[in-house]
Amino acid sequence: MSYKTLRGIGAAELVIRKSVFIGYASPANSEEEAKAFIAKIKAHHRDATHNVSAYLIKDDKSFALRYDDDGEPKGSAGKPILKVIQNKGLSNVVVVVTRYFGGIKLGYDGLVKAYSDAASLAIENAGIVEIFETEHLEAVFPYNLYHTVRKTIEKNGGKVVDEEYGDLVKFTVEIKKGEADSLMNLLIEKTRGRIKLRPLS
């Protein structure tokens, strides 16, 4: 199962017609984590006019999708935030947008745009990463092939997660599920067969 989520926590601030919108975005691996993040932001901004939130959690066992307008006109705040999460193809993400009202009403469309923009900027600030299932393989080779092997692995989506040095170099390599065979063929080709490879369970 592969999916896109956030690299870390992101934040962004917008001022629209004297109202301040502060967006926060975070990865969340469960509904409990998402709720805890929302509670933390609400506690931090307890003096705010609104703390609007949305989250989307999806894994093998569960699916949870919630949004809360927190007193804003129905559908003008939480739903647009959720739409941003969905449009970016993200899972396991929670976003909270805090609003300090500046005295000028924005109207329904203005609110939709403000909450969407704040959510979008917070997500961009957090950074998007792809999470995927991996498999491992072992590569054993002479020292003079070190740079060739390492470069080939890293250029083709693999990652060296462990290294051992004895008479020969031994790498444990992590790669996206389903791509180990093509990497092994490439390594054999690049080293002219002077490498021993085996998949690890």
Side-chain angles (χ1 to χ4, degrees), residues 1-6 29 129-134 176:
M1 186 180 95
S2 73
Y3 63 93
K4 286 195 293 184
T5 188
L6 299 180
N29 291 318
V129 342
E130 191 180 357
I131 307 286
F132 42 77
E133 276 188 73
T134 57
K176 196 171 180 175

Side-chain angles (χ1 to χ4, degrees), residues 26-44 51-57 63-68 92-96:
S26 172
N29 291 318
S30 66
E31 203 168 359
E32 289 68 35
E33 271 183 40
K35 285 176 177 173
F37 183 78
I38 294 165
K40 192 169 117 185
I41 301 299
K42 279 186 167 181
H44 184 63
N51 285 293
V52 174
S53 59
Y55 60 81
L56 195 159
I57 312 292
F63 179 83
L65 177 154
R66 296 270 184 288
Y67 61 86
D68 176 14
N92 296 8
V93 167
V94 55
V95 176
V96 183

Side-chain angles (χ1 to χ4, degrees), residues 159-191:
K159 191 165 114 188
V160 177
V161 290
D162 192 32
E163 303 176 38
E164 283 178 40
Y165 304 99
D167 295 339
L168 297 164
V169 181
K170 182 158 90 176
F171 280 176
T172 302
V173 180
E174 185 177 80
I175 186 137
K176 196 171 180 175
K177 204 173 181 89
E179 293 184 6
D181 285 350
S182 58
L183 178 62
M184 288 199 280
N185 290 336
L186 206 56
L187 285 166
I188 289 163
E189 188 189 310
K190 294 278 186 191
T191 61

